[in-house]
Amino acid sequence: MTSAREALAAAAKQRILLTDGGWGTQIQNRKLDESDYAGSLGLSHDQKGNNDILALTRQDVVTAIGEAYLAAGSDIVSTNTFSANRISQADYGAEALVADINRESARLAREAADRFAALDGRRRFVAGAVGPTNKTLSLSPDVNNPGFREIDFDELKDVYLEQVVALAQGGADFILIETIFDTLNAKAGIAATFEAEAKVGRELPLMISMTLTDLSGRNLSGHTVEAFWYAVRHAKPLTIGLNCSFGAAQLRPHVKVLSDLADALVMVYPNAGLPNELGQYDELPETTAGLVREWAERGQVNILGGCCGSTPEHIAAMARAIEGLAPRQLPDVPVRTRLAGLEPFTMAA
């Protein structure tokens, strides 16, 4: 069988692909109570809001959301594992269940993807979602001690390693390191994925997605989009992109920057606009679809999807909006030494 990397790359030459949309909103809309989250696990902490643990306690919910996105047109469905790591699960006293959560979430996504592939013969893919945790390697949480760190690189790498191995065991095709606010955190995730490949005995292609924290186009650790790309390009990711941050309108200039310089597939999945005063997302599916269509018309994207506030209806609207539009062609990037501090640096030829 053709590898997942080869199959996705081949499909991306033919058309613009779709990933899925937001999971948190879809779960919240189901109005689950604490017992739905807790199930019969017997954990000591209140579990309400622990979306990841639903892979163990309400598998029907996880499966239904994944299938809704696949039915809307998604070629890639992500696992519901954004916070399924030892650090984040410590808030719920569920650290011991991290491997089980990731394996089960990946298995559920794999089964749904394969069911849809069997219906029409079009291969669907599973992206193992790895969130940034609530710790940062680059910044101190103590304003009086800028050298202090709550965690070091090796510890965070091991946290990611546990998660990535379990995602692979559950059947994930790719590892999606997403919503990256700290570039060094992403590097720990990359290192963990390389180690995980040796443990599971197969390639785990990387999808890497940065989130911007201000309109100037930097993440929290201060890197511009171009500098971020140079900092992670050595990992040879299958996709590079942007997610969360803002709505599509605010991401427009940053998508162009990435599209012009990256010799990898570009995947962008913005929020459904900006939140209102109540923190809700009001942008209608057709509005979001019209905005991302502009990127498609300009040949700037290979994969589209949605993040916070987006729904299966947003993905379906995107599918209609981009139908027949040609995918982005990877640029022929001249060979140069390209380095990254907070700003990019290209050594003259």
Side-chain angles (χ1 to χ4, degrees), residues 320-344:
R320 294 189 295 269
I322 64 174
E323 187 174 4
L325 296 179
R328 166 182 172 268
Q329 300 298 305
L330 272 62
D332 184 13
V333 180
V335 176
R336 297 285 187 274
T337 297
R338 293 181 171 86
L339 307 173
L342 298 184
E343 302 284 345

Side-chain angles (χ1 to χ4, degrees), residues 20-255:
D20 57 11
W23 279 74
T25 307
Q26 295 302 295
I27 292 171
Q28 291 165 17
N29 288 344
R30 282 162 169 78
K31 309 297 183 185
L32 303 177
D33 59 30
E34 201 275 337
S35 65
D36 290 302
Y37 291 92
S40 59
L41 296 175
L43 297 171
S44 59
H45 292 50
D46 188 308
Q47 295 299 309
K48 189 165 186 178
N50 187 3
N51 291 343
D52 307 75
I53 210 165
L54 294 173
L56 302 181
T57 59
R58 286 295 305 270
Q59 294 188 345
D60 60 313
V61 170
V62 178
T63 294
I65 294 171
E67 288 184 339
Y69 280 121
L70 290 163
S74 295
D75 298 280
I76 304 163
V77 64
S78 57
T79 57
N80 181 42
T81 54
F82 186 82
S83 298
N85 61 75
R86 209 182 312 151
I87 294 170
S88 301
Q89 287 301 310
D91 293 340
Y92 298 97
E95 305 97 310
L97 297 175
V98 162
D100 292 338
I101 292 170
N102 283 281
R103 266 193 301 269
E104 282 300 293
S105 192
R107 181 185 66 80
L108 296 172
R110 176 81 275 152
E111 290 178 353
D114 291 348
R115 279 195 296 274
F116 274 78
L119 293 175
D120 59 11
R122 177 162 62 87
R123 188 166 174 179
R124 307 309 202 279
F125 304 91
V126 175
V130 176
T133 82
N134 56 13
K135 306 294 184 185
T136 172
L137 290 172
S138 296
L139 303 170
S140 172
D142 183 353
V143 295
N144 297 312
N145 185 1
F148 174 71
R149 298 292 184 271
E150 287 186 283
I151 193 170
D152 64 29
F153 185 93
D154 288 339
E155 184 180 355
L156 184 57
K157 184 262 294 178
D158 288 343
V159 166
Y160 282 136
L161 179 61
E162 178 184 25
Q163 181 177 13
V164 171
V165 167
L167 287 169
Q169 291 170 340
D173 294 303
F174 315 120
I175 300 301
L176 170 61
I177 303 174
E178 63 176 337
T179 320
I180 298 166
F181 63 79
D182 183 338
T183 304
L184 194 54
N185 282 33
K187 285 179 170 287
I190 290 167
T193 303
F194 289 163
E195 284 194 27
E197 288 180 328
K199 287 182 177 291
V200 301
R202 67 179 173 94
E203 183 190 23
L204 298 171
L206 282 160
M207 296 175 143
I208 298 177
S209 189
M210 175 189 191
T211 190
L212 306 179
T213 53
D214 62 61
L215 290 172
S216 70
R218 295 179 185 271
N219 64 2
L220 190 64
S221 58
H223 294 88
T224 65
V225 171
E226 186 175 359
F228 177 80
W229 169 238
Y230 295 157
V232 301
R233 183 173 179 266
H234 70 281
K236 296 181 171 57
L238 176 61
T239 72
I240 186 71
L242 300 168
N243 79 288
C244 204
S245 311
F246 312 110
Q250 292 78 20
L251 283 181
R252 183 181 294 117
H254 310 299
V255 172

